[in-house]
Amino acid sequence: MIVKQIWTGNAYRNFNYLIACPETGEALAIDPLDHEKCLKAAKEAGWTITQIVNTHEHRDHTGGNEQMVRKTGAKILAHQDAGDRIAGMWRGLGAGDVVDVGKTVELEVLDTPGHTMSHVCLRSHTDQPALFCGDTLFNAGAGNCHNGGHPVELYKTFSEQLARLPDSTRIYPGHDYIENNLRFTLNREPDNQRAGEMLASVTGQDPDRPYVSTLAVEREINTFFRLTSPTVIAKLREAFPDLPENPDPRAVFLKLRELRNRW
Ligand SMILES: [Zn+2]
């Protein structure tokens, strides 16, 4: 499996992805908003884009579909419930489905509600696994829930699916928000040394060559995986005095999501 991460350079800081089969040169485009950059990258690599996966229905993820289909004839795949919001959807995806790319790449579909209620992530079962997580999980952050999502569902997706993936899983999110998210981590957990070091190292990074984290790293720097950290809980209790001393992780997650919205 070859992964090409494409920085769009737009105001929303979107990342698009190409996933290619090294044997056949067939490629799948994830959320190819910047269809021109995606097509150029595919051409340079000698790949043919045959499929598009939209992680979810938001326009900054689907806005390149039409042009991409016109130029390549690629088929559009997305969550099975997104058909009324994604024009021209060819295949509806559900949990456990497999998306093949060429002869050698198999991607497993995870049904990951929360940012929207029809959001999928793709997971590779390569030697070093990878997760293409759209707007569900960001580097050091979590998706918002205010355009068709639900925070309780997002918590369930984190705790029941993402948190159980192997540590070595490489994380490929839909946006470059790492700097801002690390600042939120440090605001919530000022003694998080790893987050402090990482903020220094990614500040001003070239987004064409972005840092790629793993789930093990996210467990250290992403507040939304640090629901039992004593500092996170103590700081939250300053903001929410009603929160018990040993709160339920779900309550911690929901309060963090609420604070992040206002932050
Ligand atoms: Zn979105």
Side-chain angles (χ1 to χ4, degrees), residues 115 142-147 150-151 154 181 184 188 224 240 253-263:
H115 173 64
N144 68 53
C145 303
H146 45 243
N147 283 302
H150 200 292
L154 188 66
N181 284 342
F184 180 70
R188 292 292 90 212
F224 293 91
F240 301 97
F253 186 97
L254 297 177
K255 294 295 185 203
L256 286 169
R257 189 52 272 173
E258 194 183 324
L259 278 183
R260 185 64 178 81
N261 290 339
R262 301 190 231 139
W263 191 69

Side-chain angles (χ1 to χ4, degrees), residues 56 58 60-61 115-116 135 175:
H56 64 293
H58 287 159
D60 62 315
H61 296 256
H115 173 64
T116 75
D135 290 2
H175 294 264

Side-chain angles (χ1 to χ4, degrees), residues 81-120:
D81 297 338
D84 57 343
R85 279 154 294 152
I86 296 179
M89 197 169 105
W90 175 74
R91 178 181 169 194
L93 301 172
D97 285 354
V98 172
V99 176
D100 293 305
V101 186
K103 277 192 198 160
T104 60
V105 180
E106 281 189 0
L107 299 164
E108 178 197 344
V109 175
L110 308 184
D111 185 348
T112 51
H115 173 64
T116 75
M117 296 309 285
S118 41
H119 191 298
V120 291

Side-chain angles (χ1 to χ4, degrees), residues 22 33 139 175 179:
L33 174 68
N139 295 126
H175 294 264
E179 271 187 52

